[in-house]
Structure formats: structure tokens, C-alpha cells
């Protein structure tokens, strides 16, 4: 049994455009739904983020120092096509062309995500986002253009970040949906439209490009039954089938889960399936299966009111797991759950697995002088990397790489700069941009050692004298 990760194992970082770029009104960019959001007591607006639009080369230098060989970023739809369905913006496309070249020059493989919730405002206001087939058509046009522009430089692609969220109540927040009653029909219609958009792009890639790899991506949270009571086990399994296996079945075998389809028929749900959709889906294949993983969940069937749609089970039935520690954001830390998911995906669907988001968000401050001693972050990543290695070496799972989330601090998904995931501190707060300086934390040096050993050395850092601990990048 080998205990060495593949030589081409990908170590890297994942982000979205709106959480990093800033420059909301520069370079010909149009408005997205995020650009009009107002700050609150504990959230920032999205106008500057960490100013990666102007500072990305500085960030890429830090990634190169860290030893990363992969960076998953998002192309901002409204930066390359200001209205989403109009003329393409060559200045925006040129930005990403130079961005990709700067990664490749540093030996960092670019990985593109086409959509991470930031719908062009015009499409949201005019068509109600992915509730409309017109937006599916606009997305496919945009996606094909990006593939044609960058396909020779970018090997790995995903269409939608955490695509299974469109099967949850979150769908209405992330799909550009701005008007309506948020019915179950519309929820399933949005989910189907997003899948059609994904399938049309994936099929285009597989028809036209031999060297590009594309896969579907889920937000995968292991879901445990609260007890061994059969009803708890049943709802936990059903949630996994609806939220995860349904789309994995589509990504891999070109069809939705039979259990989900039976539910749709029995409930009289209109998914908006049109002539030709089933054929489009049947042609869908994936080269890998990607997912994000941060924490596990636990569900109690007694808390779920009778008649609740499966999609809303967790809204009512989620409870704390007494056997796990929680972050200050009430996310429960569970490395073994990570290993379980790697196994479940690979054993059932038999495609290479790629965890492309993993990390721990923590409130941190910098005193302006000393290195941030984030041993909790080191422990989190150590435990999850070890769980991944166990899945590979003991269980036989084929894993492509391991990408952390936001390893240079970024705005959280809610716009809260207090929730930091990075091994590099970015010197700004929610309402004070300060100097946006990048300051490596202790975890930077630890992860640098891990990557240099290709995951073999997960040991603690040696104790340094105070004068040996520097603060410069």
C-alpha cells in the first residue's frame, strides 16, 4: 500500500470574485446583485473586498511562497458581460487573461468557476435570475465564451459553486431571484434550470475540447441522525439523497435520483422540464466530482412538522451534535465526516474526487507587530488533511487535490470580515479598510511545510525564538 500522494497532487486555495476583487465600478464592470447590498453593523459592502483586482500579483506571490500549485477563482459574469446578456466587455476579459497568465508564470494551475451567486443585476431585475430560461440561455452564452477564450490555458472548470444549494431554501438568495412567492415549484424549477445550464456547458466542453476537465460541485455536509431511532435515520438518509446524491447521479449518470423524481410526481411539482431537457441531461458526464466541506450536521425527526417538504427538513430539524466541538459560528468540526464523504462519493460514483473548499472561520485581530498564533487553524487543517490521507491510503479513494477556502483572508459569504479563514491576515475590518496589508500567520509557515512535503509532514512547527518570528510576507 502506497503512502505517498500522487506527484501531481493539487494544493491550493479557492475564492469567489465578489469576496476578493473589489473594483466594483472599474474596468467596464456592470452591477451585480452584490454591488447594491448595503453594509450593516457586522457586514461590509462589497465595493473593495480585499482589492484583489489591483493586488492579485502580490497575492499570487504569497501563494507561490506557500508552494501552492492550484488556484480556483471565479470569473465575475458582470465584469466580462456588464448586463449578463449583452455585449462582452473586452477590458474585463483582458483582466482575466492577464490574471491567468500571472498564475501560470508562477507554476499555479488556474481552475475556473463560472458562477458563485453574483448574478448580473440586469438579469435579476429583468428576468428574476435562474427562475427564467432566458437567464439559462444567457449563462450558457457567457460560459461558452469563457471556455473558448481561456480553454487553452485552463484545464479544470466548474460551472456553479455548491450547486446543491439550489435544492435548498438558499436557492432564492443565490439565483438572482428578486420577486415572487418562493414556492416549492419555483425552488425545483430553479434547481432544474441551473442543472440545464451546467449540462449545456459540460456537454459543450466534452464535444469541443479534449484537454479540459469539468465536474459538478456540491456543498457536502455529512448529516447524522440525532439517534438510532429509525425515523431519525430515515430523514438523514433522505436529506443526503435529495441534497447530494440527486445531483451526483445527474453529474455522473445523466439522470436525477428516482426517489426525487417520485417525490416530484407525488407532490405534483412542476420542475419546468421542457422537451429536449432529458436528452441534454442524458448526455452529461463529469471528469471529477468536487465539493466543499466545513462541518457536519445532525437532524432530529421529532423537530420536523408533519408535511414539511424534504428541502426544508434541516431548517426545522437541525440540532447540535454533543460529540463534536463547534466554532464560534456554531459550525461543528468533524474530520471523520470529511473522510466519510470522500468514501461515499467515490464508492458510489467511481470518479476522481476533488475537495475544493475546506477551512475554519475564526474571529482574529492583529496587534500590528507579532505573528498571529493560529494553532486552532493548524489543528483543523492537519486533522482534515489526515482524514483525507486515510481515505486515500486506507480506503482507496482517488483524490485529485486539496484546496483550502479563502487562505488569504476575504469577506465571508455574508460580507463579514470578522470571520477569517486565511493563513494570511488581510489588514482591514468591516468598516475600516486600513491599509489592506497582507501578513502571514503561523499557519502559513505550517502549511508551507505540509505542501513542500506533499502532505507527508503534518507535524507541529518547531518552537522559534521571538526574534526569529518575522511579520513580513
Amino acid at each position: 500500500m502506497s503512502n505517498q500522494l500522487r506527484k501531481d497532487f493539487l494544493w491550493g486555495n479557492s475564492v469567489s470574485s465578489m469576496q476578493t476583487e473589489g473594483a466594483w465600478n472599474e474596468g467596464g464592470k456592470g452591477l451585480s446583485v452584490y454591488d447594491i447590498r448595503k453594509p450593516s453593523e457586522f457586514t461590509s459592502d462589497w465595493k473593495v473586498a480585499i482589492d484583489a483586482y489591483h493586488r492579485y500579483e502580490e497575492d499570487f506571490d504569497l501563494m507561490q511562497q506557500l508552494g501552492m500549485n492550484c488556484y480556483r477563482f471565479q470569473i465575475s459574469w458582470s465584469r466580462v458581460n456588464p448586463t449578463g446578456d449583452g455585449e462582452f466587455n473586452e477590458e474585463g476579459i483582458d483582466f482575466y487573461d492577464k490574471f491567468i497568465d500571472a498564475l501560470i508564470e508562477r507554476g499555479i494551475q488556474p481552475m475556473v468557476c463560472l458562477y458563485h451567486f453574483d448574478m448580473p443585476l440586469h438579469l435579476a431585475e429583468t428576468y428574476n435570475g435562474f427562475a427564467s430560461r432566458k437567464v439559462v440561455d444567457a449563462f450558457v452564452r457567457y460560459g461558452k465564451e469563457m471556455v473558448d477564450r481561456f480553454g487553452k490555458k485552463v484545464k479544470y472548470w466548474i460551472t456553479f459553486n455548491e450547486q446543491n444549494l439550489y435544492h435548498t431554501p438558499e436557492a432564492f438568495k443565490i439565483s438572482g431571484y428578486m420577486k415572487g412567492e418562493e414556492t416549492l415549484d419555483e425552488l425545483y424549477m430553479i434547481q432544474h434550470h441551473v442543472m440545464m445550464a451546467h449540462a449545456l456547458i459540460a456537454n459543450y466542453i466534452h464535444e469541443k475540447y479534449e484537454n479540459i476537465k469539468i465536474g459538478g460541485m456540491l456543498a457536502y455536509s455529512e448529516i447524522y441522525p440525532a439517534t438510532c431511532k429509525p425515523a431519525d435515520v430515515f430523514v438523514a438518509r433522505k436529506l443526503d439523497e435529495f441534497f447530494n446524491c440527486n445531483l451526483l447521479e445527474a453529474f455522473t449518470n445523466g439522470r436525477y435520483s428516482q426517489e426525487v423524481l417520485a417525490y416530484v410526481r407525488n407532490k405534483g411539482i412542476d420542475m419546468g422540464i421542457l422537451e429536449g431537457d432529458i436528452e441534454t441531461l442524458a448526455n452529461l458526464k463529469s471528469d471529477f466530482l468536487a465539493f466543499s466541506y466545513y462541518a457536519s450536521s445532525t437532524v432530529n425527526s421529532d423537530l420536523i412538522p408533519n408535511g414539511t417538504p424534504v428541502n426544508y427538513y434541516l431548517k426545522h430539524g437541525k440540532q447540535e451534535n454533543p460529540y463534536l466541538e463547534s466554532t464560534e459560528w456554531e459550525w461543528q468540526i468533524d474530520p471523520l465526516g470529511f473522510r466519510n464523504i470522500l468514501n461515499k462519493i467515490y464508492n458510489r460514483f467511481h470518479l476522481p474526487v476533488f475537495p475544493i473548499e475546506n477551512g475554519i472561520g475564526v474571529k482574529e485581530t492583529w496587534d500590528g507587530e507579532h505573528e498571529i498564533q493560529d494553532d486552532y487553524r493548524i489543528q483543523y487543517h492537519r486533522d482534515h488533511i489526515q482524514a483525507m490521507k486515510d481515505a486515500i491510503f486506507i480506503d482507496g479513494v482517488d483524490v485529485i487535490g486539496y484546496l483550502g477556502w479563502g487562505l488569504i483572508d476575504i469577506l465571508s459569504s455574508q460580507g463579514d470580515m470578522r470571520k477569517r479563514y486565511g493563513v494570511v491576515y488581510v489588514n482591514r475590518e468591516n468598516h475600516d479598510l486600513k491599509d489592506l496589508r497582507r501578513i502571514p500567520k503561523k499557519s502559513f509557515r505550517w502549511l508551507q511545510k505540509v505542501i513542500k512535503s506533499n502532505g507527508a509532514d503534518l507535524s507541529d512547527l518547531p518552537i522559534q525564538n521571538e526574534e526569529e518570528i518575522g511579520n513580513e510576507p
Side-chain angles (χ1 to χ4, degrees):
M1 180 180 67
S2 171
N3 61 354
Q4 297 294 317
L5 295 175
R6 56 205 292 173
K7 291 181 179 179
D8 62 347
F9 195 82
L10 297 176
W11 296 95
N13 184 19
S14 285
V15 298
S16 75
S17 61
M18 71 279 188
Q19 290 167 273
T20 54
E21 285 180 6
W24 68 286
N25 61 352
E26 297 183 44
K29 182 183 178 300
L31 291 176
S32 81
V33 292
Y34 278 80
D35 295 325
I36 62 170
R37 293 185 181 178
K38 303 296 184 183
S40 66
E41 181 181 2
F42 295 119
T43 63
S44 171
D45 62 29
W46 302 84
K47 290 179 167 51
V48 176
I50 61 166
D51 195 31
Y53 184 84
H54 299 108
R55 297 170 180 248
Y56 67 83
E57 293 213 54
E58 177 186 352
D59 292 340
F60 292 174
D61 287 342
L62 283 164
M63 294 178 203
Q64 185 180 30
Q65 290 175 35
L66 200 54
M68 287 182 180
N69 58 2
C70 186
Y71 185 48
R72 173 216 148 187
F73 65 96
Q74 179 214 352
I75 293 174
S76 168
W77 188 351
S78 56
R79 189 175 295 285
V80 298
N81 193 304
T83 64
D85 61 353
E87 294 298 316
F88 283 94
N89 173 30
E90 292 300 327
E91 187 174 358
I93 292 172
D94 185 61
F95 166 77
Y96 288 112
D97 197 44
K98 292 175 180 176
F99 186 98
I100 289 168
D101 285 345
L103 286 168
I104 294 170
E105 288 167 6
R106 292 166 173 80
I108 302 171
Q109 187 159 176
M111 179 181 188
V112 165
C113 172
L114 290 171
Y115 185 79
H116 196 125
F117 316 151
D118 59 339
M119 175 69 61
L121 183 62
H122 166 72
L123 297 181
E125 291 181 334
T126 306
Y127 302 113
N128 214 18
F130 278 108
S132 168
R133 282 276 177 165
K134 289 185 181 294
V135 172
V136 174
D137 294 341
F139 177 84
V140 172
R141 175 175 174 260
Y142 147 68
K144 287 180 177 179
E145 185 73 16
M146 295 303 99
V147 170
D148 290 342
R149 297 287 188 124
F150 304 126
K152 291 183 179 179
K153 297 180 181 181
V154 179
K155 177 180 179 181
Y156 288 99
W157 293 72
I158 58 172
T159 51
F160 293 92
N161 179 69
E162 300 180 328
Q163 191 171 328
N164 58 335
L165 293 186
Y166 297 93
H167 214 73
T168 74
E170 288 292 311
F172 298 106
K173 298 179 182 178
I174 63 179
S175 65
Y177 186 93
M178 297 186 76
K179 49 195 173 186
E181 298 180 5
E182 300 189 7
T183 65
L184 201 59
D185 278 4
E186 286 187 304
L187 176 60
Y188 275 77
M189 193 173 293
I190 289 169
Q191 179 266 133
H192 176 64
H193 287 172
V194 169
M195 178 54 78
M196 284 299 99
H198 168 80
L200 288 163
I201 294 295
N203 292 349
Y204 178 77
I205 283 174
H206 286 134
E207 289 166 7
K208 191 170 180 180
Y209 294 90
E210 293 184 359
N211 298 320
I212 293 178
K213 294 186 180 297
I214 185 168
M217 184 208 172
L218 306 181
Y220 212 137
S221 172
E222 181 70 297
I223 301 173
Y224 300 117
T227 71
C228 57
K229 184 169 63 176
D232 287 349
V233 176
F234 179 80
V235 296
R237 183 207 59 78
K238 204 167 189 71
L239 279 165
D240 191 35
E241 186 67 19
F242 275 61
F243 286 1
N244 304 311
C245 297
N246 178 49
L247 296 194
L248 291 170
E249 187 71 36
F251 293 146
T252 308
N253 298 316
R255 57 179 182 261
Y256 291 128
S257 158
Q258 288 301 315
E259 183 175 1
V260 173
L261 291 176
Y263 183 84
V264 167
R265 287 194 303 271
N266 293 334
K267 296 290 185 182
I269 295 170
D270 179 9
M271 290 179 61
I273 296 175
L274 300 182
E275 184 177 354
D277 286 359
I278 300 303
E279 290 75 16
T280 296
L281 191 59
N283 289 324
L284 176 59
K285 303 295 179 188
S286 293
D287 301 300
F288 59 90
L289 296 172
F291 69 99
S292 63
Y293 180 82
Y294 296 94
S296 61
S297 299
T298 301
V299 64
N300 183 337
S301 62
D302 289 340
L303 302 177
I304 303 172
N306 289 335
T308 300
V310 178
N311 312 73
Y312 292 83
Y313 277 3
L314 273 182
K315 181 178 179 180
H316 300 283
K318 186 176 180 180
Q319 71 170 43
E320 184 178 1
N321 188 330
Y323 299 100
L324 297 174
E325 294 184 4
S326 298
T327 71
E328 57 201 310
W329 306 97
E330 297 181 353
W331 289 25
Q332 298 208 268
I333 301 170
D334 183 11
L336 190 56
F338 185 41
R339 179 178 172 183
N340 282 338
I341 288 169
L342 288 163
N343 272 279
K344 287 200 295 187
I345 295 175
Y346 187 67
N347 290 340
R348 178 166 171 177
F349 299 101
H350 313 293
L351 285 174
V353 186
F354 199 173
I356 61 173
E357 289 183 24
N358 182 238
I360 181 171
V362 179
K363 292 178 183 176
E364 291 171 322
T365 57
W366 180 51
D367 65 6
E369 180 180 359
H370 300 96
E371 181 184 69
I372 294 172
Q373 301 296 296
D374 57 338
D375 294 281
Y376 40 83
R377 181 168 289 107
I378 292 171
Q379 180 177 342
Y380 180 95
H381 283 287
R382 177 196 293 119
D383 291 347
H384 284 77
I385 292 170
Q386 184 60 57
M388 175 188 68
K389 288 170 62 177
D390 291 344
I392 296 169
F393 302 143
I394 299 173
D395 307 332
V397 179
D398 183 4
V399 179
I400 293 172
Y402 174 85
L403 308 187
W405 172 255
L407 294 182
I408 296 174
D409 284 346
I410 60 177
L411 288 172
S412 78
S413 60
Q414 303 303 315
D416 191 348
M417 199 65 201
R418 297 175 305 158
K419 189 177 186 182
R420 296 174 180 268
Y421 287 86
V423 299
V424 175
Y425 186 87
V426 174
N427 194 33
R428 67 153 290 182
E429 297 173 357
N430 277 328
H431 306 302
D432 183 356
L433 293 177
K434 297 187 174 181
D435 59 7
L436 293 164
R437 181 180 168 192
R438 275 66 164 155
I439 305 105
K441 307 172 189 177
K442 181 180 180 181
S443 57
F444 181 95
R445 294 187 289 115
W446 178 82
L447 188 56
Q448 187 178 51
K449 176 172 67 77
V450 171
I451 295 174
K452 185 176 182 180
S453 72
N454 197 26
D457 184 1
L458 303 182
S459 63
D460 288 328
L461 289 169
I463 297 175
Q464 291 184 303
N465 295 326
E466 186 71 24
E467 60 267 20
E468 294 178 311
I469 299 176
N471 296 310
E472 295 300 320

